[in-house]
Amino acid sequence: MALATLGNSEFDRDTAVTRSAPGVYDTHLSAGWTIIQAVNGGYLLAVMGRALADALPHPDPLSVSAHYLTASVPGPAVVRTEVVRSGRTMSTGTARLIQFAEDGTEVERLRVLATYGDLDALPDDVRTTAKPPAIPPYEHCLGSDAAPGGRSVIPGSTAITDRLALRLDPATAGWAVGAPSGKGEMRAWFGLADGRDPDPLSLLLTVDALPPTAFEIGLSGWVPTVELTVHVRHRPAPGPLRVAITTRNLAGGFLEEDAEVWDSEDRLVAQSRQLARALLEG
């Protein structure tokens, strides 16, 4: 079977936007990217990122910060963008994701502030102490159906997992067999199920597509995102990505998730931090 290509994949179709007026874009949020009943926050960020890429004069997201106001549902939506500043090497814009209640009332789901630039124009100099995560080889990691009895490793809705090629590090998947480590860590190989290679836009999905670290801490249930900031550092090379997410502090019913995404050439291509709510009855 031929692999999907950039611009011609399920991800591209499901994040497509259509300009209906200057700065205004129609879209349809696909049910294929839901977790339990809600649309995944990384997928939503990719939809917003695609609209901003059209609205702004620069092609690539460099820094994207999103506040999730209400839970999005599959169906029609509108993205309204505004150019805040346009410079020679960077531009900044805002975007709002709107859906409509049954009585026609507008409901704002998500608000984004983002800076865009050209990743190909950035200097090659790299000075870092960061190292790729130590993840076992792909074939030694766990797929979404690897739990005993064929039970899905990912509880709740499996819609989004059907779109992804996830292979979890066994050291961070104890929760799947009822034995969480108590550590706020999640590591995995990541790709899209149809074989589409990663690009800067899909990295906005990648940082929020693994099971939450709360599972390995010993909690269960939905972990809704409150705020998510993503830094895209490099255009990713073709091939699977490695994702490592850590949580150091759960307090007051909130936790942070710090993510790193590494490409097949051992480059740190994206970083993120999100604040999420945790269900404490786990």
Side-chain angles (χ1 to χ4, degrees):
M1 181 178 67
L3 298 179
T5 57
L6 293 177
N8 183 27
S9 74
E10 187 173 33
F11 172 78
D12 296 305
R13 292 190 294 272
D14 289 349
T15 58
V17 296
T18 301
R19 190 192 307 164
S20 59
V24 180
Y25 300 85
D26 293 329
T27 190
H28 188 280
L29 304 181
S30 170
W33 302 88
T34 54
I35 299 176
I36 308 177
Q37 309 299 331
V39 183
N40 171 261
Y43 162 75
L44 294 173
L45 203 57
V47 172
M48 304 289 272
R50 195 175 291 283
L52 283 164
D54 183 83
L56 295 172
H58 295 92
D60 300 316
L62 301 180
S63 179
V64 182
S65 294
H67 284 263
Y68 294 79
L69 307 177
T70 54
S72 299
V73 296
V78 175
V79 181
R80 295 178 181 152
T81 65
E82 179 184 351
V83 177
V84 176
R85 180 184 181 274
S86 180
R88 184 176 61 85
T89 60
M90 294 187 297
S91 54
T92 299
T94 63
R96 297 188 302 135
L97 181 67
I98 305 295
Q99 290 191 300
F100 298 90
E102 291 184 1
D103 62 1
T105 304
E106 291 189 0
V107 181
E108 186 172 0
R109 303 298 194 189
L110 178 62
R111 188 172 296 199
V112 167
L113 176 66
T115 295
Y116 274 54
D118 184 351
L119 289 168
D120 295 330
L122 299 182
D124 294 330
D125 184 45
V126 176
R127 309 180 196 190
T128 183
T129 59
K131 296 181 180 180
I135 300 179
Y138 188 90
E139 61 273 14
H140 294 162
C141 290
L142 303 175
S144 61
D145 58 350
R151 178 173 56 86
S152 174
V153 168
I154 315 300
S157 169
T158 61
I160 190 171
T161 60
D162 291 341
R163 324 259 89 71
L164 306 177
L166 271 183
R167 304 284 291 191
L168 298 175
D169 182 343
T172 67
W175 54 272
V177 292
S181 68
K183 299 178 180 179
E185 299 177 350
M186 198 67 62
R187 293 184 295 273
W189 294 90
F190 176 90
L192 293 173
D194 60 12
R196 177 199 191 271
D197 280 321
D199 70 346
L201 190 69
S202 71
L203 293 176
L204 303 181
L205 164 71
T206 304
V207 299
D208 191 44
L210 269 60
T213 55
F215 290 176
E216 194 63 358
I217 293 174
L219 305 181
S220 61
W222 188 34
V223 185
T225 302
V226 176
E227 187 271 343
L228 172 61
T229 294
V230 185
H231 297 158
V232 178
R233 308 303 302 273
H234 202 286
R235 191 177 305 280
L241 301 166
R242 284 160 292 171
V243 185
I245 305 178
T246 59
T247 292
R248 297 192 304 162
N249 190 52
L250 190 161
F254 292 87
L255 58 83
E256 88 289 345
E257 288 192 342
D258 291 319
E260 291 185 352
V261 182
W262 295 77
D263 73 0
S264 60
E265 296 183 0
D266 284 347
R267 293 178 301 197
L268 181 59
V269 294
Q271 297 166 281
S272 72
R273 166 166 280 198
Q274 74 167 274
L275 182 70
R277 295 189 64 184
L279 179 67
L280 298 179
E281 293 83 23

